[in-house]
Amino acid sequence: MAVPHPLRDTARVLVDGHPMRTIWPGDDGRTVDVIDQTKLPHALEVARLATVEDAARAIEEMVVRGAPLIGATAAFGLALGLFADPSDAGLDAARTRLAETRPTAVNLMWALDEVTHAVAVLPESRRADAAWARARRICDDDVVVCSSIGDHGLAVIEEIWEHKGRRGAVNILTHCNAGWLATVDWGTATAPIYKAHAAGIPLHVWVDETRPRNQGASLTAWELGHNEVPYSVIVDNAGGHLMQTGVVDVCVVGSDRTTATGDVANKIGTYLKALAAHDNGVPFYVALPSPSIDWTIRDGLADIPIEERSPAEVTHIAGREAGGSIVEVRLTPDGAGATNYGFDVTPARLVTGLITERGVCAASEEGLRSLFPDSI
Ligand code: MRU
């Protein structure tokens, strides 16, 4: 039996009709290429990372973003740092620089730990190659894991479609971009969507614009469009109304960090969607790979660090002019103060289920333990 090759057999998400990952090692084996997400949706450009500083800045400036992709980039970043300095001091310095980039997505620390454990016991001469190999495997594993999330989430969507008497489209609301662009391939929240679309289930996705950086309007819309999944971009405040009027069958979002008890940190605004879903009896699922689970914490509100980003992301907005130039304009009065929290915490009680690579479980310690008995 042929061994499945992760790139050939599971790469699914298409750009201009071709499968493509969001991150890949350069041919020279000493650089890493990523899609520059700050340029989307207006241009598909590749950024080359050659140093640990390049990788750290790519994460900070959101050239790459989304919890699993942040982890994958950090893993390669550590390898790039070790090519330059494989000593213990070099390892510590690279790790410290990468760890300080963004605080909320726990995949970052998970990936740094994975690579560190793989190399710390090795002689300096072998560290960089071992780190590189581990980073490549983190990417390949992410593809397989997200594909599995897609399979389990497909069953959820199938059940909803059956419940609707297989009539009309299944209307799915998603927030931010927990898509292909947030992972190496497939996405987490979008993996079930791509699998259901491929299985012939009629779908329509409500895409929250996701202020202030508009990951929904810019990124989710772009990737769904390339994969011919019908969608409508909505303003962030529309979700409640849509749920009240019965045109949302299910919400599926991603997670940057899930506690051992099932609380979920995700892009700011997720909590409000969960509240509206709860009030209207709309199922609210969170799709996540196990490296997004922080097994060391139990109380999301108390224990998950919430990133605060520059007020300029709130006071200004960028877009493409009719002539094609990208311009940034001010939205607020000169001198207006602004606060920019990147994430919020949705308590487990508002989550219908967690869709993981091992199956769907309740958002609770018992639920997580049933799927990951070795981790709790
Ligand atoms: O600030 P971002 O764009 O990195 O935030 C991304 C999200 O909130 C995603 O929903 C989350 O990382 C899950 S990605 C599969």
Side-chain angles (χ1 to χ4, degrees):
M1 201 175 81
V3 177
H5 181 280
L7 184 54
R8 193 182 55 239
D9 294 340
T10 66
R12 160 63 178 77
V13 177
L14 305 179
V15 180
D16 294 330
H18 301 289
M20 186 177 183
R21 286 189 177 187
T22 56
I23 185 168
W24 59 96
D27 290 337
D28 57 8
R30 293 287 186 278
T31 55
V32 186
D33 288 345
V34 295
I35 294 177
D36 182 347
Q37 301 195 23
T38 64
K39 301 290 194 312
L40 290 171
H42 306 301
L44 178 60
E45 288 182 17
V46 171
R48 177 150 294 183
L49 315 179
T51 64
V52 64
E53 188 57 26
D54 288 349
R57 287 216 187 121
I59 296 169
E60 278 167 352
E61 292 165 12
M62 293 175 70
V63 170
V64 292
R65 26 71 51 205
L69 185 57
I70 289 170
T73 307
F76 272 120
L78 207 46
L80 294 173
L82 288 169
F83 282 129
D85 179 358
S87 67
D88 283 355
L91 176 60
D92 278 355
R95 201 187 142 90
T96 304
R97 175 69 186 100
L98 290 159
E100 72 189 12
T101 51
R102 294 191 72 191
T104 304
V106 76
N107 308 60
L108 172 66
M109 290 312 295
W110 171 85
L112 293 176
D113 285 347
E114 289 290 309
V115 176
T116 303
H117 290 147
V119 305
V121 293
L122 297 177
E124 289 183 7
S125 59
R126 291 176 46 208
R127 282 182 173 175
D129 287 338
W132 189 258
R134 186 70 192 95
R136 290 187 70 139
R137 212 165 68 245
I138 284 174
C139 289
D140 290 347
D141 288 352
D142 185 66
V143 180
V144 175
V145 160
C146 287
S147 175
S148 276
I149 289 171
D151 293 334
H152 296 299
L154 167 61
V156 171
I157 294 174
E158 267 169 345
E159 200 180 315
I160 291 167
W161 198 40
E162 288 298 328
H163 193 69
K164 290 187 82 168
R166 294 176 156 257
R167 277 192 300 276
V170 177
N171 287 291
I172 302 169
L173 183 142
T174 193
H175 191 67
C176 193
N177 173 265
W180 162 69
L181 286 163
T183 63
V184 178
D185 197 357
W186 286 107
T188 59
T190 56
I193 291 172
Y194 291 128
K195 297 235 174 184
H197 182 62
I201 298 176
L203 299 176
H204 170 261
V205 184
W206 297 111
V207 177
D208 282 351
E209 62 177 349
T210 319
R211 282 280 292 144
R213 288 189 66 103
N214 296 304
Q215 290 95 326
S218 300
L219 304 178
T220 306
W222 183 81
E223 61 165 270
L224 291 177
H226 272 271
N227 289 275
E228 295 174 6
V229 177
Y231 70 88
S232 308
V233 177
I234 50 173
V235 297
D236 287 327
N237 293 329
H241 169 70
L242 295 177
M243 290 190 231
Q244 280 178 322
T245 51
V247 291
V248 180
D249 296 305
V250 61
C251 299
V252 187
V253 301
S255 169
D256 286 82
R257 193 184 295 226
T258 299
T259 66
T261 55
D263 294 341
V264 173
N266 191 50
K267 181 52 56 192
I268 191 82
T270 302
Y271 169 55
L272 290 176
K273 297 299 140 62
L275 281 175
H278 190 254
D279 194 44
N280 290 284
V282 173
F284 188 92
Y285 285 92
V286 181
L288 60 117
S290 54
S292 300
I293 304 171
D294 185 342
W295 299 104
T296 67
I297 58 173
R298 305 180 55 79
D299 180 343
L301 259 187
D303 298 334
I304 298 180
I306 299 295
E307 178 178 18
E308 269 193 75
R309 294 186 62 84
S310 164
E313 292 181 350
V314 176
T315 56
H316 290 69
I317 195 162
R320 189 177 63 188
E321 285 185 322
S325 342
I326 307 296
V327 291
E328 189 176 79
V329 294
R330 174 177 269 282
L331 285 173
T332 55
D334 284 339
T339 307
N340 185 9
Y341 292 105
F343 299 91
D344 60 24
V345 174
T346 299
R349 67 186 161 77
L350 298 177
V351 177
T352 308
L354 303 174
I355 307 173
T356 78
E357 71 268 27
R358 294 202 187 166
V360 182
C361 70
S364 64
E365 186 169 359
E366 297 68 37
L368 283 167
R369 190 187 289 131
S370 70
L371 295 182
F372 300 95
D374 34 342
S375 298
I376 288 195

